[in-house]
Structures are given as C-alpha cells and as structure tokens.
C-alpha cells in the first residue's frame, strides 16, 4: 500500500468514527497540541494504537476510559504516543557552537562570584539535550566544577520519555553525530538487553548526576499550574512550540522570558523565531542561530572562547592537506556473499511520496526510538528510490543501530557510489571499518572525509550531518585518524 493510500485509509477511519471529533477536541485542549488540528489521519492512527492496547473499539469508549479511574495512567501513555520525541546528542551543532563559544562562557564569567548556574531544558524528550548540556558545562568548567552549584533540569510531558532519560542509556542512533573518541569519553558500552538487542551506550555518572528530570506540560506556564521554581540563567525550548497554537506560543515564550535571570539566555528551535517575541525579549544574532535575552540586557562584546579544561587532552597536529580535487574511493574489497552493493541498473520509477517526505518519516520513527519500524518502513520503499544517496545513507545508519554491520557497510558504499562527495557517508564508513579492525580501509575513508570537509568553508553545514559543520567534521576525522595511527604504532 502506498503512503498516500495509507493516509487516505487512516483519514477515512477518523471520519467513520462518530466519537473522533469530541475526542480530538479533548486531547488538544488537555495537551495544547494544536499540531494535530489539521492532521486527523496522524492523530487517529496514534489513538487507534492506544485503543487496541486498551481493548476498546471506538473513540467514544476510549474517551470514557480516559475520564475514568484508570484515566491518569492512560493519559500519560497517550501523551507519550502523540509527542514526537525527535532527539539526539548535540542536535543542531550551530546552537551548541554558540553555547560553547558565547553563551556559556559569558554566563560562567557573569556568575563567577556566585558560582551558580541554573539551566532548564523544556521539552527534553529522552534526555539527550540536557545531558549534552551537562557534558558541555563539565568540559568548560573542568576541575572548577567541584566549586560550582550547577542545576540542569529536564522537563517533558511524556512520562515514558522521562523514564528513558533517567535510565541514561541510548542506542547508536542517538549518538550518530559523535565520533569514536567522544563516545568513549562520555559513555560506556552496555550489553544487549530487551529494547537494545545489540547493546547500548550508558552515559557516565559524572554527567548523569548533573541532570534531574520532572514531568511538566508547558501549558502550566499559562494557567499557573507549573511547579518549576525560581529563575534560570539558560532555557532551551527547542522544537516544542510547533505543537501549540500561535496564541499559546506567544504566551509560553513570554512566560519563559519571565523565568530568565538577569542577563539570561533563551534558545528555541531554528524554525520557531517570530518577530512578535521582540515585545518581551531581545533577539541576539549569533553565527548560525538566533538567541533571546531580557530586553534590558546590555549589549556586550563576545567573551573569549573557553578552552575545555581537560588535563588528559593531547593536541592533535593539524597537518595541512592539499585542497581536494577528486576523491579516490576506498580500494575495492571482496563483498560478503549475498550482499552486493546495490547499484541501480535503471532509473527509479515514479513514486507518489517524495524522497524528502520518506526521509522525514524515517527520521521521526528512528528518533522516537522505533528503529526497527523505521528500518522496515525504509525497506518497503527504498527500491523505488534506488538513486537517492541520502536514503541509502540512512539505511546504513539504521543498520548500524540494529547491529547489522555488513548491511550498513553495503548501504554506505551504495551511497558513495551514487555521490562520491558525500562527506558524512565517507566518515561513517570510516568509523565502521575502524571498529571492525580494517585500519587501512578505514584510514582511506576517513581521509576522504577530511579532505572533502577541508575543501569547504569551516561553517558549512554538511548535508545529512544533523547540523554538523565542516570544521567539526574535520576535527572528528582527524581524531579518528590519529586513533588508527596510535593503534598501529
């Protein structure tokens, strides 16, 4: 069944259920998720999933269940189901660059006497954002952290997401922008278990204990029911406002601004800034992003960049490399029997779903923890997009998350056959080959990634890099290459 036919089927189901309009109205009123106002097919699909689990046959019966004795737990389960938990570590590299270079150094300087930082990650999903902040603060303060009071609060509507956040164990998908050295510094490998059949990555205690979590609906900022106490030096509320109506968005942003301490900072999602916000907050243009501050905050020069205080850090020599002219592919290698690199013989047939739409659907599934479902969905459709390198690349990332290294290698090589200049595919292939102990091939793939990245402006955001800049990718490739050299020595 095509995607358009599937959506039509779901929309027809919503219209056929007479109790759906009232239930939809109740759900939006309680959660504030105006996002579903014009998405009956999507909301009905998620409602049907909960109705099947609860053993009820229609929306009217399900609404009775929600308002009954068991309603509290079921509301929590439904709220988790309808909230798209798209998250991974250091998501939006431009904003984390601004945090590292400008925002946190200024806050650390301003709070030097008090030695106190209060940070709030509103809509934190499964915890990657507040934990990324913990890692960053830990690196910036170094040994001085012991003398500081650092509070990092993560809040979310989904009880299930918060449970995952508190466990602080993640699959490879949530760490996909991190290189091998970063994974080793910040996480430890964990054995296979239900939900992570190929093992996962547990955040190290030094970062985990810096964060605490609470369940909170941002609508509480409007109706006064929130339990968040005090003011904050830094608030992040990224990709949460998309769920709410314009009126709710304005009121939430105004309320968040009122929770900022003097000289505090607010970061929201890239697509969420609105000129209306300047009534209550002062926009500040930073490289690659916009931040907000209280209107009476004086404009100051950017502070010097703080170098992370890592006594164990060893500088990596930045040997100049020639400008990239043409990338030589890694030397041919015998392919495992039965998994040849997929090379399309003919153009893909026309399809009602664009590659971008399919990729967005796959990412949402994977980012919400449904990697296996994302893998199945991609394989239902991918032969119709045989010439799309981005989809082959994400096939490789999903295979890595599922522990299918041979299929991951095949997909990444397929992406590179289609686009020899695909920087992220060279990089991920290099990391995969390095983990497999194939150092010569790994070095060639990583060197390709490095040379390609160096041929771009440092601030260039790499395609399919989830916000990673050419400069950051080059740094990661150098570290990985240095690790291979050390291992061979």
């Amino acid at each position: 069944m095509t995607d358009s036919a599937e959506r039509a089927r779901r929309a027809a189901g919503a219209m056929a259920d007479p109790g759906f309009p009232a239930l939809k109205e109740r759900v939006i009123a309680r959660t504030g998720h105006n996002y579903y106002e014009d998405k009956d097919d999507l909301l009905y699909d998620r409602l049907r999933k909960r109705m099947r689990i609860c053993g009820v046959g229609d929306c009217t019966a399900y609404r009775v269940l929600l308002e009954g004795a068991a309603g509290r737990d079921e509301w929590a389960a439904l709220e988790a189901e309808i909230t798209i938990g798209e998250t991974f570590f250091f998501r939006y590299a431009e904003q984390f660059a601004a945090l590292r270079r400008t925002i946190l150094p200024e806050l650390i300087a301003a709070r030097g006497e008090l030695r106190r930082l209060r940070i709030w990650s509103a809509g934190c999903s499964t915890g990657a954002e507040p934990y990324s902040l913990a890692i960053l603060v830990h690196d910036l303060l170094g040994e001085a952290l012991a003398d500081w009071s650092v509070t990092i609060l993560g809040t979310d509507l989904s009880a299930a997401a918060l449970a995952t956040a508190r466990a602080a164990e993640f699959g490879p998908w949530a760490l996909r922008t991190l290189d091998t050295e970063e994974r080793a510094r910040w996480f430890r490998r964990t054995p296979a278990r239900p939900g992570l059949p190929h093992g996962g990555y547990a955040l190290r205690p030094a970062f985990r204990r810096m964060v605490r979590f609470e369940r909170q609906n941002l609508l509480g900022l409007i109706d006064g029911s929130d339990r968040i106490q005090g003011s904050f030096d830094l608030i992040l509320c990224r990709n949460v406002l998309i769920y709410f109506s314009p009126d709710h968005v304005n009121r939430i942003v105004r309320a968040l601004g009122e929770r900022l301490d003097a000289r505090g900072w607010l970061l929201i999602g890239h697509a969420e800034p609105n000129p209306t916000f300047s009534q209550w907050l002062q926009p500040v243009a930073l490289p690659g992003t916009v931040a907000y501050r209280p209107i009476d905050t004086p404009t100051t020069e950017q502070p010097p960049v703080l170098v992370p205080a890592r006594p164990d850090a060893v500088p990596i020599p930045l040997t100049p490399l020639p400008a990239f002219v043409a990338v030589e592919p890694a030397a041919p290698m015998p392919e495992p029997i039965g998994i040849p690199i997929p090379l399309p013989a003919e153009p893909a047939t026309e399809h009602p779903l664009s590659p971008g739409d399919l990729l967005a659907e796959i990412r949402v599934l994977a980012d919400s923890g449904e990697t296996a479902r994302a893998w199945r969905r991609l394989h239902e459709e991918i032969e119709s997009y045989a010439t799309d390198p981005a989809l082959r690349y994400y096939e490789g990332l999903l295979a890595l998350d599922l522990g299918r290294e041979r299929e991951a290698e095949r997909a990444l090589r397929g992406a590179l056959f289609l686009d020899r200049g695909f920087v992220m595919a060279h990089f991920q292939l290099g990391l995969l080959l390095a983990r497999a102990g194939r150092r010569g091939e790994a070095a060639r793939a990583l060197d390709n990634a490095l040379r390609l990245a160096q041929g771009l402006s440092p601030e260039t955001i790499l395609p399919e890099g989830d916000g990673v800049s050419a400069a950051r990718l080059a740094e990661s490739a150098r570290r990985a290459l240095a690790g291979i050299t050390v291992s061979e020595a």
Side-chain angles (χ1 to χ4, degrees), residues 95 98-108 233-234 265 267 286 291 303:
Q95 290 194 341
L99 285 163
R100 176 181 287 278
R101 297 169 184 167
T102 302
I103 296 173
L104 285 171
E106 181 177 298
L107 286 173
I108 289 170
D233 302 297
L234 170 63
W265 294 81
L267 282 174
L286 297 172

Side-chain angles (χ1 to χ4, degrees), residues 36 60 72 96 129 153 166 173 177 216 229-230 242 256 272 295-296 301 311 337 341 345 353-354 357 361 423 448:
Y36 290 102
T60 299
R72 180 176 179 179
F96 272 96
E129 178 175 276
L153 172 67
R166 292 186 181 104
W173 184 259
T177 64
Q216 179 68 46
Q229 301 296 317
I242 58 171
L256 290 172
E272 295 171 329
I295 286 179
D296 57 355
E301 294 184 4
I337 296 174
I341 298 175
L353 189 65
S354 73
D357 287 342
E361 183 180 342
V423 184
N448 284 340

Side-chain angles (χ1 to χ4, degrees), residues 137-208:
V137 171
H138 188 281
D139 273 7
L140 288 173
L141 286 175
E143 293 181 0
L145 178 63
D147 300 324
W148 281 68
S149 172
V150 178
T151 299
I152 302 177
L153 172 67
T155 65
D156 201 88
L157 178 62
S158 169
L162 292 174
T164 300
R166 292 186 181 104
E169 185 177 2
F170 302 88
W173 184 259
L175 279 61
R176 63 185 181 271
T177 64
L178 308 184
D179 61 37
T180 303
E181 191 269 347
E182 290 167 334
R183 293 187 186 198
R185 279 178 58 205
W186 302 329
F187 300 86
R188 62 174 179 80
R189 288 289 277 142
T190 58
R193 63 170 180 79
L196 288 171
H198 302 282
Y201 294 84
L203 189 69
R204 295 189 180 278
F207 313 113
R208 182 176 176 177

Side-chain angles (χ1 to χ4, degrees), residues 32 46 89 93 100 109 111 113 134 146 185 200-201 217-218 235 286 321 369 394 405 433 441 466:
R46 295 174 183 271
F89 278 80
R100 176 181 287 278
R111 306 294 187 255
E113 288 190 18
R185 279 178 58 205
Y201 294 84
N217 189 337
L218 285 178
I235 299 175
L286 297 172
L321 291 173
Y394 276 97
E405 285 82 4
L433 293 170
E441 296 169 87
D466 290 315

Side-chain angles (χ1 to χ4, degrees), residues 53-78:
I53 292 172
C54 296
V56 298
D58 57 33
C59 290
T60 299
Y62 186 58
R63 186 180 178 193
V64 170
L65 175 66
L66 287 171
E67 305 302 336
R72 180 176 179 179
D73 290 341
E74 183 52 31
W75 270 116
L78 177 60

